[in-house]
Amino acid sequence: MICRNCNRDAGNASFCPYCGAPMRSKYCPRCGVPLPPDGRACYSCGWKESSATEQELASVRPAPEVNSGDKGLMSGKREDKQDDAPASARKRSGVQTFMCLVSGIAVLASLGVALYLMLMGNMFSVNGTAYNPLTMQPAADGAFGLVTHFSDIIAYFSDVLPDAITNSAGGWDLQTMGMYASSALLTAVYAVGGAIVSVTTLVAVIRFIVGIARGRNFNMAKYAALALAASGTIWMSGRFGYLGSYVSVGSGTFVCMIVSAAALAVCLVNNLVFAGRSAAKGGSILKLLTNACIFACAAVCFLAFPFRLSSSYVGTGSETFVGILDIAVAAINGEQTTYVTIIGLVAAVALAVLTVKYLFTLPFYMSKTASRLARTFKLDGYRDKGFVFRSVVLIVGALPFVVFAFVYLKGASATPSAELIAFIISVAATFVVSIMNRMCLNKDQL
């Protein structure tokens, strides 16, 4: 049987396994919203059966069952990605074309800024001075970029870093070891982020040209979200080690995140313009609000990630990273160390590994929720499956982090930091709001 909401073969299920729409419900003859079997009124547009015409009463009856063979469709396949969009949204008006143009240019501009700063400009600065992450000193030419310093980056990983490790055996100190580790991680992430933004920019330009040439809606939020994820990963990498001040407010990394977020906001406005009066439905408003709440929770997880686990910690970088480096330096230099329990050491190592995992996943999780918010209404073939599964994955991933964090804090006789508490609350809130969002996922008929 073909679902009238998403046009996919739902088999003999009572509810569509792809979008959750009821398969044997009545439908409102005025706005098309599914009604319960005994429904006598529409909660969306106010239609009532008692005042309906004979023609409306005839159309409110359940649609006849249709199998996939009758429509020439293969099970689970769609003829066109645009089938998810209503007929009224497939062709643009003048205002909608203008909004597509504006939002597309905004995304391309944000990608252009990010690409320039990564390849040619300055991603790292302290108090307005550009810094070279390889030497931890001010950049000699006033900027540090992947293109302008490509040979230096290659030489750093092939010659400088191996020589430093070889020549410093038995003479390590915590600051030097931390600086080398932080610099290597930040530079590697920086190079990967630059590659991601370069490919994303090329694909976005092609998508923009094709989108303008066609007469249908297009939304480029996912490209701005990728730039946000790439710059966000660089930002978290700097905060992880001793180079957090390099990516603070005023650095190119922070600028990339701001312009990407601004482009996503423009894409959201474009999406609302296409939704038009349909966005004023109760279900549509709830869906938009819950999407905004999911993004807000993900942003809190990202911005307040607990690199500082205990409220008393005042060091630079991740607390567990610095603690493990301290133990490693003491062991290499043959110094006497304070007594460290096996449980505490295991907890610290586990936390460091989980933190590195979050460096590469949390920025993309946050950017995914931002892209979803900017594309709330299904106007360009985007299939909305809800966010419950991803929120469950987030909880499952956060659970061991929280457990090891409290084991570590108990061993150190310390109280949890405000960042750790905010992270726990935001993870739980993401799951709760995702459930609420799923409940109103198909209330709108966009």
Side-chain angles (χ1 to χ4, degrees):
M1 184 166 55
I2 301 300
C3 175
R4 292 176 59 177
N5 184 54
C6 70
N7 204 35
R8 299 183 74 173
D9 192 343
N12 295 321
S14 298
F15 293 87
C16 178
Y18 302 102
C19 69
M23 297 300 299
R24 296 178 175 83
S25 292
K26 299 178 181 179
Y27 290 84
C28 175
R30 184 179 300 172
C31 66
V33 171
L35 303 176
D38 58 347
R40 297 291 183 268
C42 177
Y43 64 87
S44 179
C45 67
W47 173 87
K48 294 182 179 180
E49 186 177 300
S50 59
S51 59
T53 63
E54 292 184 3
Q55 184 179 2
E56 288 178 335
L57 290 175
S59 63
V60 79
R61 296 188 181 94
E65 295 187 3
V66 182
N67 59 47
S68 58
D70 293 336
K71 296 194 67 175
L73 299 175
M74 294 179 64
S75 176
K77 300 293 183 181
R78 290 181 296 166
E79 289 179 310
D80 191 336
K81 289 178 68 177
Q82 293 289 335
D83 288 344
D84 281 344
S88 60
R90 297 184 184 182
K91 293 295 182 180
R92 297 192 302 251
S93 66
V95 174
Q96 292 170 337
T97 299
F98 175 75
M99 285 306 304
C100 282
L101 182 66
V102 170
S103 63
I105 291 176
V107 172
L108 293 181
S110 68
L111 289 171
V113 170
L115 189 63
Y116 174 79
L117 289 174
M118 289 185 179
L119 299 185
M120 305 295 296
N122 171 35
M123 291 291 288
F124 313 108
S125 62
V126 179
N127 297 326
T129 302
Y131 265 71
N132 183 334
L134 304 178
T135 62
M136 286 76 75
Q137 298 295 326
D141 50 0
F144 182 87
L146 289 173
V147 172
T148 56
H149 292 77
F150 180 76
S151 59
D152 294 338
I153 294 174
I154 297 298
Y156 178 79
F157 284 99
S158 61
D159 299 325
V160 177
L161 190 59
D163 290 344
I165 295 175
T166 302
N167 298 332
S168 299
W172 282 106
D173 62 79
L174 180 61
Q175 190 72 16
T176 301
M177 191 172 186
M179 281 293 186
Y180 274 116
S182 302
S183 178
L185 175 64
L186 183 60
T187 307
V189 172
Y190 176 35
V192 174
I196 292 175
V197 173
S198 299
V199 175
T200 300
T201 303
L202 177 61
V203 176
V205 169
I206 298 174
R207 178 70 179 91
F208 177 73
I209 295 173
V210 173
I212 289 295
R214 301 179 69 188
R216 300 176 179 179
N217 172 52
F218 67 94
N219 192 312
M220 297 177 59
K222 61 183 178 181
Y223 303 108
L226 282 173
L228 177 62
S231 55
T233 305
I234 297 172
W235 184 69
M236 288 194 71
S237 299
R239 293 177 61 208
F240 175 76
Y242 283 76
L243 307 179
S245 59
Y246 285 27
V247 294
S248 59
V249 177
S251 66
T253 302
F254 196 81
V255 171
C256 287
M257 292 194 296
I258 293 299
V259 296
S260 298
L264 284 165
V266 177
C267 290
L268 174 59
V269 174
N270 176 42
N271 193 255
L272 291 173
V273 169
F274 262 83
R277 288 180 300 177
S278 300
K281 295 179 181 179
S284 298
I285 294 174
L286 287 175
K287 183 180 175 185
L288 180 64
L289 291 177
T290 50
N291 277 342
C293 289
I294 292 173
F295 167 68
C297 292
V300 171
C301 290
F302 171 75
L303 296 172
F305 183 79
F307 292 104
R308 184 173 71 108
L309 296 173
S310 60
S311 57
S312 59
Y313 178 71
V314 294
T316 302
S318 170
E319 182 175 351
T320 53
F321 171 69
V322 174
I324 292 174
L325 281 181
D326 192 12
I327 296 173
V329 168
I332 292 174
N333 296 335
E335 301 173 356
Q336 295 293 326
T337 62
T338 57
Y339 177 71
V340 179
T341 65
I342 298 299
I343 295 178
L345 181 61
V346 170
V349 172
L351 284 170
V353 172
L354 290 171
T355 300
V356 172
K357 172 250 185 187
Y358 276 115
L359 291 181
F360 298 98
T361 59
L362 197 52
F364 284 90
Y365 177 81
M366 187 267 300
S367 67
K368 184 71 175 179
T369 61
S371 175
R372 187 170 182 269
L373 172 61
R375 303 171 67 207
T376 293
F377 304 111
K378 299 176 285 186
L379 301 171
D380 60 349
Y382 145 67
R383 186 175 296 282
D384 192 347
K385 298 181 179 179
F387 224 77
V388 177
F389 176 74
R390 287 190 176 90
S391 65
V392 171
V393 173
L394 178 64
I395 288 180
V396 171
L399 186 60
F401 181 88
V402 173
V403 170
F404 282 119
F406 278 96
V407 170
Y408 173 84
L409 292 172
K410 183 177 180 181
S413 299
T415 57
S417 64
E419 293 90 339
L420 179 58
I421 295 174
F423 178 76
I424 295 172
I425 294 175
S426 59
V427 168
T430 302
F431 176 72
V432 173
V433 179
S434 296
I435 295 295
M436 298 171 60
N437 175 262
R438 188 65 184 84
M439 294 171 63
C440 62
L441 190 63
N442 295 296
K443 296 299 183 183
D444 63 297
Q445 297 299 306
L446 296 176

